[in-house]
Amino acid sequence: MRIGELEQRSGVPARMLRYYEEQGLVTPRRLDNGYREYDEYLVDRVAKIRGLIDSGIPTRIIGNILPCLNQPQRVVVDDADPELLEILRQERDRMTHKIDVLSQNRDAITRYIQALETAGSRHGTRERQPA
């Protein structure tokens, strides 16, 4: 697929996709005419990269994490950098906290929706149809 299709399917702008390529995070094939050709698996990879970036992980670290994105591949690390290990632990813990907060907020919204539905059924009101 061409970059425009990957942009549409992943929701990541073409400019950002080129940046990912510069950083070595995605590698499209080059056609004889020089055009980039993106493989299907990159749709999922780009979504995962975007999620990691949105979580605050810099691209230089994402490059180290890439082998872990395609399980069940075995990950082998030579000469692990202790500083990188600590950064990754902190990021993982920060993400876990965000997930916990999001889960609590989702559950609160679910309870509120249930309360609204219960109130609506008690008062004989019908659920509104989306516009």
Side-chain angles (χ1 to χ4, degrees):
M1 80 185 83
R2 295 278 169 41
I3 197 166
E5 184 178 350
L6 181 58
E7 175 181 29
Q8 183 179 19
R9 291 182 59 195
S10 68
V12 174
R15 184 175 178 187
M16 188 61 65
L17 294 171
R18 287 188 195 96
Y19 174 73
Y20 293 174
E21 182 181 354
E22 288 172 15
Q23 299 300 306
L25 303 177
V26 297
T27 307
R29 291 180 286 114
R30 288 288 183 161
L31 302 177
D32 291 338
N33 60 7
Y35 287 4
R36 294 172 178 90
E37 181 71 18
Y38 293 88
D39 292 323
E40 184 68 29
Y41 79 92
L42 289 174
V43 175
D44 182 59
R45 175 174 265 193
V46 165
K48 290 175 181 176
I49 291 168
R50 184 77 244 159
L52 290 168
I53 288 172
D54 289 347
S55 296
I57 298 176
T59 55
R60 65 182 171 78
I61 293 175
I62 292 172
N64 293 320
I65 297 172
L66 280 179
C68 299
L69 294 180
N70 300 323
Q71 293 297 334
Q73 176 178 325
R74 184 168 173 255
V75 178
V76 177
V77 177
D78 294 323
D79 300 323
D81 179 356
E83 184 178 329
L84 175 60
L85 182 59
E86 184 54 31
I87 290 170
L88 291 174
R89 283 183 177 143
Q90 289 173 4
E91 287 300 323
R92 181 203 54 206
D93 294 346
R94 191 177 63 76
M95 290 169 85
T96 299
H97 177 71
K98 281 176 113 173
I99 290 168
D100 291 344
V101 169
L102 285 170
S103 294
Q104 291 169 10
N105 289 344
R106 180 204 55 216
D107 294 346
I109 289 170
T110 298
R111 287 190 300 273
Y112 191 70
I113 289 169
Q114 291 169 342
L116 289 172
E117 290 172 344
T118 300
S121 66
R122 273 196 313 250
H123 297 296
T125 59
R126 294 181 352 169
E127 216 175 282
R128 291 176 51 159
Q129 295 297 321

